[in-house]
Amino acid sequence: MDNISRRSVLSAGLGAGLVAAWPGAAVAVSTADDAGLRTDPFMLGIASGEPWPDGFVIWTRLALDPIAGDGLGGMPSRNVAVAWEVAEDAGMRTVVARGVEIARIETAHSVHVELRGLRPGREYFYRFRNGRHISAVGRTLTSPALHETPAALAMAFASCAQYEHGYFTAYTRLAQDQPDLVLHLGDYLYEYKKDSYVIAGGNPRDHEGPETTTLAGYRQRHAQYKADTDLQAAHAIAPWLVVWDDHEVDNNWADEIPENTDAGQLNDTTEHFRQRRAAAFQAYYENMPLRPSSVPAGFDMKIYRTIQWGQLANFHMMDTRQYRDDQLAGDGWKKNVAGRLAEDRTITGAEQEQWLLDGFKNSTQRWDILGQQVFFAERDRNQAPEVDDVSMDGWDGYAASRRRITQGWVDAKVRNAVVLTGDVHRNWANDVKVDFKDPASPVVGSELVCTSISSTGNGSGSTTDATMAWNPHLKFYNDNRGYVNTKITKDAMTADFRTLDYVTTPGAPVSTKASFAILDGVPGLQ
């Protein structure tokens, strides 16, 4: 795609409004909706996701007042018809598909359209309409045909956007870098109420509403985030693959176990937390460009899945929250917790682990990329060999689970294994081994860890972490906010760590802090 047309999409994403005409878009709707809504209902933007060779999902959610306390966005208490169309050009002149979906009150007036029958490896554009109101135009892509190997894929990934801690400028900078695919690795939003998670110097923005525990609360919080124009720009530029981490539900939750079970905090009994989880999952589906196959069933929702990009790459999108054993020793960083080495501990659950191992065995792709949430490589904070001091929340707290995964891709002879990670609000680049305690253990893969979009506010800019001295597989560290751009080809995967110097005021420029290459058939970082 030429830069001019990509920039036109960005402009649309940042300035949705009325347009004079929609040629050929006269679509019959119910009498109640013929006149449409009185004001623009597309305040939450548009999005696309889940690309496959003949289609993708396009999404919107109608709202007139995004921060309405009931979570319904100020919408009328009725279903609303929404027309949509997909075209081959940003001007929407060559329309290849159109139709009408009903934005239903029971799903917070969200719309998911699952497109089929399109051509593989192509760029498309889409928009929505209600009455005289027309959404921004979004750009999306179908993935290549399964037998094809495209020359390159520009993929960006990000995580951890705390609305209160700073502005989402990094999302606009990501959009301006014009990726063809975006992976979001979790903490898309945060659950806290105003003034309960405060950075030094004070938060530049505030959450609306209480801590999210109810469906209304989660819907309101998603809408407040989706109304951010920087986030809207990133959604409008490319299809997204999303997975959650913890804050979409509750900090450091594990399966059916919440962060707090003490009376006087949130008193999250198992039954109450199941209800909370169900509410969070429902709102997550309503607000993400996911396939209808991801519709939650109560407090269960399957989001782990593999998306193939022709013969170039598999994206194994994982869930390290819903099926994990509880964190040991009360969570946090702990020393010499022998139980973390137990063979029966799991961070994935048995079914997801087998799905991933089978995916390795069946892979014919050049690159197998794991999109997941928490730090994968060993990160020991204590220099003494007889003491390990590691995080119970990351894969260090589930060491046997990690070994089974890494040994699984070695046994399957996966050509190039790369783990993508979020969660820790810092940039890292790591070599991966099956046995981190054995200096002679070979490098078998790589891990790229993206920093936060805004969480914890302005970074220090530091590129030094003391633990790297006795963890030689940790190759790079940086404390800035930002995201990671990658270019994936048959011969190499290159990664640029894109960083901003500040987020507590808007408009920061972006620069590349460091770059790495992973060469085809050569495990580890170059």
Side-chain angles (χ1 to χ4, degrees):
M1 178 185 184
D2 63 88
N3 288 345
I4 294 176
S5 59
R6 288 200 195 190
R7 279 194 286 270
S8 71
V9 175
L10 276 177
S11 298
L14 291 169
L18 304 182
V19 296
W22 184 343
V27 182
V29 298
S30 66
T31 302
D33 294 314
D34 282 346
L37 299 166
R38 292 187 177 182
T39 58
D40 181 12
F42 297 110
M43 297 182 69
L44 307 186
I46 58 175
S48 70
E50 302 298 295
W52 53 88
D54 70 340
F56 37 74
V57 169
I58 58 175
W59 170 95
T60 193
R61 178 184 162 200
L62 307 183
L64 306 175
D65 176 14
I67 58 175
D70 64 358
L72 296 177
M75 289 291 292
S77 298
R78 59 178 172 85
N79 297 338
V80 177
V82 180
W84 57 268
E85 64 178 1
V86 175
E88 293 181 341
D89 63 297
M92 305 300 292
R93 291 178 292 273
T94 308
V95 174
V96 295
R98 59 164 54 101
V100 174
E101 290 288 326
I102 302 301
R104 301 186 181 278
I105 188 171
E106 60 265 28
T107 55
H109 293 100
S110 61
V111 174
H112 295 75
V113 181
E114 189 173 22
L115 271 295
R116 294 288 188 182
L118 302 177
R119 293 186 292 176
R122 300 300 179 100
E123 179 182 70
Y124 289 94
F125 301 85
Y126 64 97
R127 63 182 177 182
F128 298 89
R129 177 190 181 200
N130 172 262
R132 66 191 182 96
H133 302 289
I134 297 179
S135 75
V137 173
R139 169 183 175 264
T140 191
L141 291 87
T142 52
S143 61
L146 296 182
H147 66 278
E148 293 179 346
T149 303
L153 169 64
M155 181 273 291
F157 66 99
S159 71
C160 301
Q162 219 290 20
Y163 183 92
E164 299 177 299
H165 287 182
Y167 293 88
F168 291 168
T169 310
Y171 280 137
T172 284
R173 301 294 177 244
L174 182 154
Q176 290 168 342
D177 286 345
Q178 304 173 351
D180 291 323
L181 182 68
V182 177
L183 272 59
H184 199 286
L185 303 180
D187 294 345
Y188 185 92
L189 51 70
Y190 282 69
E191 76 275 30
Y192 303 112
K193 66 180 180 180
K194 175 183 175 180
D195 294 331
S196 62
Y197 185 16
V198 181
I199 59 173
N203 291 342
R205 307 197 285 186
D206 291 322
H207 281 152
E208 293 287 337
E211 176 160 340
T212 52
T213 60
T214 66
L215 182 56
Y218 285 110
R219 283 171 166 171
Q220 179 194 39
R221 188 62 51 81
H222 274 281
Q224 184 177 14
Y225 278 59
K226 275 292 200 304
D228 185 278
T229 54
D230 291 314
L231 176 57
Q232 290 182 16
H235 272 300
I237 197 62
W240 282 40
L241 301 177
V242 299
V243 283
W244 56 51
D245 190 18
D246 52 338
H247 291 290
E248 290 88 347
V249 181
D250 177 38
N251 181 55
N252 280 21
W253 65 282
D255 195 2
E256 296 181 27
I257 303 169
E259 178 183 25
N260 295 314
T261 57
D262 299 333
Q265 296 193 42
L266 283 175
N267 194 22
D268 266 335
T269 63
T270 298
E271 182 53 38
H272 180 264
F273 187 67
R274 286 173 177 167
Q275 295 171 10
R276 182 179 184 180
R277 212 174 87 166
F281 288 1
Q282 176 67 26
Y284 187 83
Y285 176 77
E286 290 170 352
N287 286 277
M288 294 295 171
L290 289 164
R291 303 180 194 183
S293 57
S294 292
V295 171
F299 59 89
D300 292 321
M301 180 176 169
K302 184 178 177 182
I303 62 165
Y304 67 83
R305 63 215 187 272
T306 297
I307 292 84
Q308 297 181 5
W309 205 263
Q311 288 298 302
L312 184 64
N314 285 320
F315 292 96
H316 305 286
M317 305 301 291
M318 298 177 63
D319 179 353
T320 62
R321 288 290 165 191
Q322 191 174 181
Y323 314 106
R324 67 158 67 192
D325 292 323
D326 192 15
Q327 297 93 339
L328 291 171
D331 206 355
W333 288 79
K334 296 294 165 59
K335 296 179 180 178
N336 291 348
V337 178
R340 74 183 188 90
L341 305 175
E343 287 296 319
D344 61 349
R345 277 187 65 71
T346 180
I347 195 172
T348 62
E351 182 177 321
Q352 182 179 192
E353 180 179 300
Q354 191 60 54
W355 157 81
L356 187 57
L357 296 177
D358 289 343
F360 294 152
K361 294 174 185 176
N362 296 329
S363 176
T364 59
Q365 278 68 20
R366 188 69 60 110
W367 300 88
D368 277 271
I369 298 169
L370 282 63
Q372 60 92 49
Q373 295 76 23
V374 293
F375 212 89
F376 191 82
E378 183 172 270
R379 186 168 45 133
D380 186 350
R381 297 198 305 187
N382 197 299
Q383 187 172 6
E386 68 275 10
V387 178
D388 62 41
D389 183 6
V390 299
S391 170
M392 295 296 103
D393 190 56
W395 287 80
D396 279 334
Y398 306 81
S401 197
R402 175 176 60 202
R403 191 197 67 249
R404 290 192 295 270
I405 298 301
T406 52
Q407 190 64 56
W409 78 55
V410 170
D411 293 345
K413 296 181 172 55
V414 165
R415 184 163 180 152
N416 300 292
V418 181
V419 181
L420 306 182
T421 301
D423 182 60
V424 296
H425 310 163
R426 304 293 188 273
N427 287 311
W428 292 85
N430 312 318
D431 286 340
V432 174
K433 299 183 174 188
V434 175
D435 184 358
F436 287 100
K437 295 300 186 186
D438 179 4
S441 180
V443 174
V444 298
S446 306
E447 179 181 22
L448 303 171
V449 183
C450 66
T451 185
S452 63
I453 291 290
S454 61
S455 302
T456 67
N458 298 334
S460 69
S462 172
T463 56
T464 302
D465 187 274
T467 61
M468 298 171 71
W470 55 89
N471 292 274
H473 53 277
L474 305 180
K475 301 297 185 181
F476 171 69
Y477 165 85
N478 164 249
D479 178 18
N480 281 107
R481 308 288 76 81
Y483 54 95
V484 179
N485 279 343
T486 71
K487 181 179 180 180
I488 306 170
T489 69
K490 292 188 300 182
D491 299 324
M493 177 175 176
T494 58
D496 294 333
F497 288 84
R498 303 281 280 162
T499 62
L500 287 70
D501 288 338
Y502 57 89
V503 295
T504 52
T505 55
V510 68
S511 62
T512 298
K513 183 67 69 171
S515 298
F516 289 88
I518 305 166
L519 305 180
D520 175 39
V522 184
L525 298 160
Q526 307 295 319

